Amino acid sequence: MSDSKLTLQYNGKNIVIKPLVEKVLTAEEQSKLTPDSVINSLKEGNDRFVSNDLTARDHTVQIRKSTNGQYPKAVILSCLDSRIPVEDVFDKGIGDLFVARVAGNFVNEDILGSMEFGCKVAGSKVILVLGHEHCGAVKAAIDDVKLGNITAMLTKIRPVVEKLSADYDGDKTSSNEKFVHMVCEHNIIKTINDIREKSPILKEMEEDGEIKIIGGVYDMDTGKVDFM
């Protein structure tokens, strides 16, 4: 166990916190997890994040303990957005999560392959597609932005915009937060459906109860994740 200490200053006083050193998850411990237990762990961790009660960890020790292997609990597909510190959002440490990021949290061949590695090879129990409020990629897709490679990237989200626009009577621009939220949620649903459709491996694992594929929306104002 590490003897390292963290000193914080609060109201002019130094407060010494001894980090809680959590051992890195082992293969045996991972194998005993269920998808539902992992989802509950993510929810509980998010509650701690929202209440500013994150677990104090000794990352130096965790790095050393994870050198010879990794057995994460879940794969999180997040947006590129820098305001979403994924491990902190779920109060997880080194070796707990696989995290993939792309603006607009959609899947392509590379991300699907990474998910297959995370679940089929490395044993993760959950895939969480994590969108968020005020998403710049979603807003750009709504406004049909044309700019370099961003244009091609947004074609992954545009089908959602076009489908919703057909039946929506309100303002269909990025200035309408209600419409932006609708596109955000349906983009997550589309991504989940794409995972099942384009990865027979993950679809079969889900059907067999080995994993669960779920979605969530991160609230930028509170830090709360609304699990879908």
Side-chain angles (χ1 to χ4, degrees), residues 133-154:
E133 302 284 7
H134 316 300
C135 179
V138 166
K139 289 183 177 182
I142 290 172
D143 292 340
D144 201 15
V145 168
K146 307 292 185 185
L147 179 62
N149 289 300
I150 294 174
T151 305
M153 180 187 75
L154 295 179

Side-chain angles (χ1 to χ4, degrees), residues 27 29-39 72-75 118-119 122-127 205 209-213:
E29 290 168 335
Q30 184 201 54
S31 67
K32 294 178 181 178
L33 296 173
T34 66
D36 284 338
S37 70
V38 172
I39 292 170
K73 303 173 183 178
V75 179
C119 295
S124 291
K125 308 295 184 180
V126 170
I127 293 174
M205 290 185 74
E210 298 175 61
I211 65 171
K212 281 193 174 181
I213 305 172

